[in-house]
Amino acid sequence: MENSSATKIFESLASGVRLDVFRLLVKQGPDGMVAGEIASTLDLPPTNLSFHLKSLAQAGMLTVSQEGRFQRYRANLPLVSDLITYLTEECCAGHPAQCADVRPSTFCTNAALPPLSSTPTKPGDSG
Amino acid sequence: MENSSATKIFESLASGVRLDVFRLLVKQGPDGMVAGEIASTLDLPPTNLSFHLKSLAQAGMLTVSQEGRFQRYRANLPLVSDLITYLTEECCAGHPAQCADVRPSTFCTNAALPPLSSTPTKPGDSG
DNA sequence: TCAATATTTCAAATATTGTTGTACTATCAA
DNA sequence: TTGATAGTACAACAATATTTGAAATATTGA
């Protein structure tokens, strides 16, 4: 991931409203929600919601699909994974022992994450 | 975590400069870096760096410790873990099967995350 | 076609952030 | 104490983001 993409994603989450929207859609899973449902659930004026949905969708955090007059939004969870990878990659670069002191158990050691310092690769191949 | 804390954290990461700073400090691990080193590594004027460091530190993403004239900054990785938990909690609430379709292998199923839909509890106890 | 509904686009007002230079505090070294 | 270094606080300006209402677009159903 590039810095500009990651920045855009973080910007898209850097708002109380958009955070509420995204978390609501995470909860809904593959069902997603149409814009009107989101608006009434979170008690937002449609113009304002549309503004925030656009921001999230342009960052890639939401996908949209049209259903007649409705627009259905869904959270893009795989992108969250990519984002964390970007944020934490090269953690304690080249020093697995240090990394162990610092990492939250979620990271570095996690199978889904890319080859960081804790992978069983040969040492010394930091990017 | 509360919405306002999470928003503050995402705001703190919603800048190309701050993202570079944080990732650099992730790489350094427990060693961290002093402000001047960060400034020269990223080629930033000290006033500007100070502005961004403050934002990251106030959000809790960095810790600071004084060393004589120097200020040493370190990435606070456990907070990243808390943040992801907040962002993805109640994923596909109450519908583990759906969740499996959607989640990146990093989430939901992860031991470090809170009891979501994928925990081995009885089905149908959505929060 | 026409009226109603769902949602977005646009424009204007307001609010918030980012950048820069200057000044300040604290520490170091003599 | 003095002068140098490390870093931050403040103030001014520039740049962006957020909110709102009115208007536009697209779909539905009579």
Side-chain angles (χ1 to χ4, degrees):
Chain A
M1 183 174 299
E2 290 188 8
N3 181 297
S4 60
S5 312
T7 300
K8 201 169 174 183
I9 292 171
F10 283 121
E11 278 169 356
S12 83
L13 295 169
S15 140
V17 171
R18 292 193 295 267
L19 211 39
D20 285 343
V21 169
F22 185 78
R23 281 164 34 90
L24 177 60
L25 290 171
V26 166
K27 257 184 243 180
Q28 301 307 310
D31 293 346
M33 283 176 95
V34 301
E37 288 175 320
I38 301 171
S40 57
T41 301
L42 300 179
D43 194 25
L44 293 169
T47 347
N48 189 15
L49 176 63
S50 190
F51 170 82
H52 291 298
L53 287 173
K54 189 179 174 184
S55 162
L56 284 160
Q58 284 187 344
M61 291 297 279
L62 303 184
T63 61
V64 204
S65 57
Q66 187 156 2
E67 295 182 2
R69 293 181 269 195
F70 304 89
Q71 300 286 121
R72 184 166 296 272
Y73 288 88
R74 295 180 177 86
N76 181 6
L77 279 178
L79 188 59
V80 179
S81 180
D82 294 346
L83 184 68
I84 299 155
T85 296
Y86 177 76
L87 192 61
T88 61
E89 75 193 347
E90 296 181 71
C91 173
C92 309
H95 301 280
Q98 289 189 327
C99 191
D101 294 338
V102 142
R103 71 190 173 213
S105 44
T106 324
F107 301 115
C108 299
T109 197
N110 197 296
L113 287 168
L116 302 182
S117 51
S118 61
T119 52
T121 53
K122 62 191 186 310
D125 57 1
S126 61
Chain B
M1 182 175 299
E2 291 188 8
N3 180 298
S4 60
S5 313
T7 300
K8 201 168 174 184
I9 293 169
F10 284 121
E11 278 168 357
S12 83
L13 296 169
S15 141
V17 171
R18 292 194 294 268
L19 212 39
D20 285 343
V21 169
F22 185 78
R23 280 164 34 89
L24 177 60
L25 289 171
V26 167
K27 257 183 242 179
Q28 302 307 310
D31 293 347
M33 284 176 94
V34 302
E37 289 174 321
I38 301 171
S40 57
T41 302
L42 300 179
D43 193 26
L44 293 168
T47 344
N48 190 15
L49 176 63
S50 192
F51 170 83
H52 291 298
L53 287 173
K54 189 179 173 186
S55 163
L56 284 159
Q58 284 187 344
M61 292 297 280
L62 302 183
T63 61
V64 204
S65 57
Q66 187 157 0
E67 294 182 3
R69 293 183 269 194
F70 304 89
Q71 300 287 121
R72 184 167 297 272
Y73 288 88
R74 294 179 178 87
N76 181 6
L77 279 179
L79 189 58
V80 179
S81 180
D82 295 345
L83 184 68
I84 299 155
T85 296
Y86 178 76
L87 192 62
T88 61
E89 76 193 346
E90 297 181 70
C91 172
C92 309
H95 301 281
Q98 288 189 328
C99 191
D101 294 339
V102 143
R103 73 190 173 214
S105 43
T106 324
F107 300 118
C108 299
T109 198
N110 198 297
L113 289 168
L116 302 182
S117 51
S118 62
T119 51
T121 54
K122 62 191 186 309
D125 58 0
S126 65

